[in-house]
Amino acid sequence: MKKNHCDFPTYMASLARSLRRQGRFGTAHVYEAALRRVLHFSRGRPLPFSRVDREWLLAFQNYLLERQLRWNSVSTYLRMLRAAYLRAVDAGLAPFRPRLFRGVFIGNRADCKRALTGDVLRRLRAVPLADPALERARQLFFLLFMLRGIPFVDIAYLRRCDLRDGVLSYRRRKTGAPLRVRVEPPALEALRRLQSPDPASAYLFPFVRSPGERGYRQYRSALRCFNRRLKALADAAGCRMPLSSYCARHSWATLAN
């Protein structure tokens, strides 16, 4: 990409396309979401790298906060901008400014507690459910919990060959780190109830059925559906805490600690 024909949004769009070609659809999705915010904030006007200074970044942060985004969402967008900026610097497309992002928030805040207490977990487990879809969501939530708080994305992409002799061996989708988890009998029973009924599918569960970008869209759709049903489950159990797939991971980690 030529230096004199590239501005910040154009470069971010090229990064997102490159990530999609690499099969990194989740990261590309976040870049594209950040890009849409930048384009809306700049009203579609050209945004050369030279204009992205601390004043612009603070104004962009305020723009996000005015739209009622949580601090962690604001941080995600700003971290995507920082990552794109540093790549542009390495490519010789942007001038390097030391500590450019020092004045904006790029950390994490515990806006809400995601770990459930033992009492809340027992209530979720015991509440009677007439809806089979909610029952399956409950079983899946507790399966995530029993598998050491495995993230939904890792469950969605598990392959049949990842389960051998009662042990799951897989790599984290986010980090690539290898993990081995022994599947205890209650978890194995839940896994067998929830696994894909299609013996020809390479995936252990029915959430992803295709490779590539189509499979990523299937995963995103399944996650949205799962979180909607978890919200309904929480309402049925009288749980006032927001319930999502992340709660299984945080709850396991907290109780294990």
Side-chain angles (χ1 to χ4, degrees), residues 37 40-41 61-70:
R37 294 287 184 176
H40 188 269
F41 175 64
Q61 177 177 269
N62 290 335
Y63 154 83
L64 296 174
L65 291 171
E66 287 168 0
R67 277 146 185 80
Q68 307 301 310
L69 270 69
R70 294 181 180 272

Side-chain angles (χ1 to χ4, degrees), residues 10-47:
T10 303
Y11 184 66
M12 288 187 69
S14 72
L15 283 179
R17 290 193 297 270
S18 176
L19 288 164
R20 287 192 176 277
R21 288 194 294 269
Q22 296 169 35
R24 298 172 60 188
F25 304 112
T27 308
H29 175 79
V30 182
Y31 266 105
E32 289 161 351
L35 173 59
R36 285 193 293 272
R37 294 287 184 176
V38 169
L39 290 173
H40 188 269
F41 175 64
S42 62
R43 300 179 181 177
R45 293 191 295 264
L47 180 63

Side-chain angles (χ1 to χ4, degrees), residues 94-106:
F96 176 64
R97 295 186 177 91
R99 305 198 299 180
L100 175 61
F101 286 78
R102 186 179 179 86
V104 294
F105 181 68
I106 51 175

